[in-house]
Amino acid sequence: MIIKKYKNLLISDFMKKSMQNLLLKNKEKISKEVAERIFQIDEVEIAELIKEIGNHEIDYIPTREIKENLATKYIGKNIYSFHEVESTNNVAKFLAEFGSPEGTIVLSETQTKGRGRRGNEWESPSGGIWLSIILKPNIEPPKASIITLATGVAVAKILRKMKIDAKIKWPNDILINNKKVCGILTEANAKSNTIDYVIVGVGIDTQVDINSLDENIQEKTTSINKETSEEIEDPQIVAKFLNEFEEIYNLFKDKNFDKILYEWKQMNQTIGSYVEVKQPFGEVFKGTAIGIDKQGALMLELENGELKKIISGECIIHKD
């Protein structure tokens, strides 16, 4: 549940340079004339070129196969696919700044600078689903954190329909047999008391070779193909997730927050557990998770009996 505020990306040299580098890596998909002047063109043209490149099919997760299984009205109607990006969230943010509509998807076979909680690196090799969704909800900023919970519900539900006993760990992880299979990173661009857009990043280890990951996370991580005997088809999983996501996101837009929180509670693995929560600036709280409030904050009963509301942080569940 990581919600951040960003300065206007129109004046971000770092973001612009990142998008220029993306174009350079794909210069064979644009005209030679344009490729030669990438560092002279403005941000609007860069955004259009990124969309042009993203409209090309990638073999790993073909867009046409996703759309064949989509039953959505707006989520996934625009899908931009890439072989490699630094971060799908960053590309989605750039496109959102230049008018890409709600429901636009940015998907990549790999990420070189994928992010997790607290700015931690999220390994994103080939074999997983790495995507971001542009949302434009008409809500006040404090409610944006519920989008993270809603996304977790959508992922957990599609896995359960595959007969996998997926559970949600507050605030943004999906677990199978106590091992992480999916992470969610929600980032909002807020100005004053309004939200311009929200980017929801989702990383699912579908067929990732766990042994190829950093040794520090191998024992804590799993993949869908390790947990089921069913054949894994990533385009179908993407479509199923987007179908499920639109349904629960519509509940969010209708302000039916109680329904979302109810579904989250039915699949969570946090409430009732003894947990340790590491805050963004180093503070640590330990206690029993007794619930979540109406804005998705975790309620802890500390060891001294004090009740503490936790808005964000890294949650570690301690086994008995």
Side-chain angles (χ1 to χ4, degrees), residues 223-240:
S223 60
I224 294 177
N225 66 334
K226 287 187 67 175
E227 304 293 342
T228 181
S229 58
E230 290 189 23
E231 185 176 354
I232 305 299
E233 297 288 346
D234 283 14
Q236 292 184 17
I237 291 177
V238 172
K240 288 176 182 179

Side-chain angles (χ1 to χ4, degrees), residues 71-75 77 246 250:
T72 58
K73 291 184 177 179
Y74 60 98
I75 297 291
K77 293 306 178 186
E246 181 174 280
N250 284 339

Side-chain angles (χ1 to χ4, degrees), residues 107-127:
L107 182 149
S108 186
E109 182 176 349
T110 63
Q111 297 182 110
T112 59
K113 295 181 181 179
R115 298 190 306 282
R117 285 185 305 256
R118 305 166 73 192
N120 293 333
E121 181 182 351
W122 174 266
E123 289 199 49
S124 314
S126 183

Side-chain angles (χ1 to χ4, degrees), residues 150-186:
T151 306
V153 170
V155 175
K157 287 179 77 171
I158 66 166
L159 294 180
R160 289 190 171 205
K161 288 177 181 178
M162 297 171 65
K163 298 181 171 54
I164 298 173
D165 187 23
K167 295 184 182 296
I168 309 170
K169 186 183 77 168
W170 184 93
N172 56 357
D173 290 343
I174 308 301
L175 308 179
I176 303 173
N177 295 323
N178 298 310
K179 294 184 177 184
K180 184 172 178 177
V181 74
C182 170
I184 299 160
L185 178 63
T186 304

Side-chain angles (χ1 to χ4, degrees), residues 73-91:
K73 291 184 177 179
Y74 60 98
I75 297 291
K77 293 306 178 186
N78 294 307
I79 301 178
Y80 301 112
S81 302
F82 303 88
H83 288 290
E84 179 184 281
V85 299
E86 290 183 356
S87 160
T88 58
N89 266 29
N90 285 353
V91 177

